[in-house]
Amino acid sequence: MALARKTKIILTLIVVALLGLSIVPLNLWWHYGYSRGSRTGIVRRVSIKGPPYCKYVSAELATQGSGIAQTEVWEFSIDDSRDEAPLLVALREAEKGGGRVTVKYRQDIGQWYRCAPYEFFVEGIEK
């Protein structure tokens, strides 16, 4: 039995929409962990920001710049914003101590669904 013309058009639109929607998760997966590395500096600020439905950690690491006494500020976040999260506790201790620490980070580009406006996420800390 032949399909009606309207049915063919609707099925074609559904297939095109499903193909378009399948690109989004593939793109998000492709850009997760786009780069990884480490930075060394002094943790200057750790705070939890955002509206009640979407909290995120905002932190700054002061790193030495290329010239004498120049400081670059690097902003980052972490994946877990709970107060008892081990990484958040370690960052707060490093902030209180004021010493140099090395953080291991991951860069996620194009992650529009996140609350944090940053693309750098710290995964670990070394003192």
Side-chain angles (χ1 to χ4, degrees):
M1 183 167 117
L3 294 174
R5 185 169 188 242
K6 287 183 181 180
T7 306
K8 289 180 182 178
I9 292 172
I10 291 172
L11 287 175
T12 302
L13 290 174
I14 289 173
V15 167
V16 168
L18 289 176
L19 285 174
L21 290 175
S22 68
I23 291 172
V24 172
L26 181 63
N27 188 25
L28 294 176
W29 169 78
W30 187 264
H31 291 109
Y32 178 84
Y34 182 76
S35 72
R36 295 183 185 273
S38 62
R39 286 199 175 194
T40 301
I42 300 169
V43 179
R44 290 194 339 182
R45 178 182 55 86
V46 178
S47 61
I48 298 178
K49 293 183 174 182
Y53 60 88
C54 195
K55 296 288 187 188
Y56 65 93
V57 174
S58 175
E60 289 181 354
L61 186 76
T63 60
Q64 185 174 351
S66 58
I68 298 173
Q70 289 183 351
T71 302
E72 295 177 10
V73 177
W74 181 62
E75 294 183 317
F76 62 91
S77 187
I78 61 174
D79 291 322
D80 192 358
S81 64
R82 295 175 298 125
D83 283 330
E84 64 274 359
L87 187 54
L88 182 57
V89 170
L91 284 171
R92 285 184 173 155
E93 287 175 3
E95 177 191 18
K96 287 178 188 176
R100 291 171 52 96
V101 295
T102 300
V103 295
K104 293 182 180 183
Y105 70 89
R106 166 189 92 240
Q107 181 183 13
D108 300 339
I109 59 175
Q111 303 289 319
W112 50 266
Y113 62 92
R114 291 190 181 269
C115 297
Y118 313 117
E119 59 184 31
F120 295 102
F121 293 87
V122 167
E123 297 179 320
I125 186 170
E126 299 172 6
K127 294 183 180 181

